[in-house]
Amino acid sequence: MRSIIEEVRWELDSHGYYFVKIFLSGGITREEVFENRDIVDAFGIGGTIANAPVIDFAMDIVEIEGQQRQNEASGAG
């Protein structure tokens, strides 16, 4: 995971997006927080510390100001 985060940071910085923050979330453990705290700006850890059953889901932005958007990973359609 760390190598992916480092690559994302490098790509953002190399294109002038120094101001973009990296937020790591989605089933991360306490150990992963400690391992990545020097390269990640914020963490979402609710499911890791919650007593309730975890429901994992993801959302895609499909429209911004009336313009349709497509997530590259989601494919056509």
Side-chain angles (χ1 to χ4, degrees):
M1 180 182 340
R2 185 178 178 90
S3 62
I4 294 170
I5 299 166
E6 289 172 335
E7 178 70 19
V8 168
R9 178 79 272 158
W10 184 86
E11 286 288 342
L12 288 167
D13 291 350
S14 70
H15 289 90
Y17 294 102
Y18 305 100
F19 56 90
V20 173
K21 304 292 184 196
I22 295 178
F23 187 93
L24 184 59
S25 181
I28 60 172
T29 65
R30 169 184 266 183
E31 291 77 22
E32 290 170 318
V33 170
F34 285 117
E35 291 167 5
N36 297 293
R37 67 180 184 241
D38 61 322
I39 59 170
V40 172
D41 298 292
F43 297 90
I45 57 167
T48 303
I49 62 172
N51 264 342
V54 175
I55 301 173
D56 261 342
F57 65 93
M59 299 169 58
D60 290 332
I61 298 172
V62 295
E63 184 177 310
I64 299 175
E65 295 180 2
Q67 299 271 333
Q68 286 190 332
R69 302 286 182 209
Q70 178 180 326
N71 181 338
E72 288 182 23
S74 66

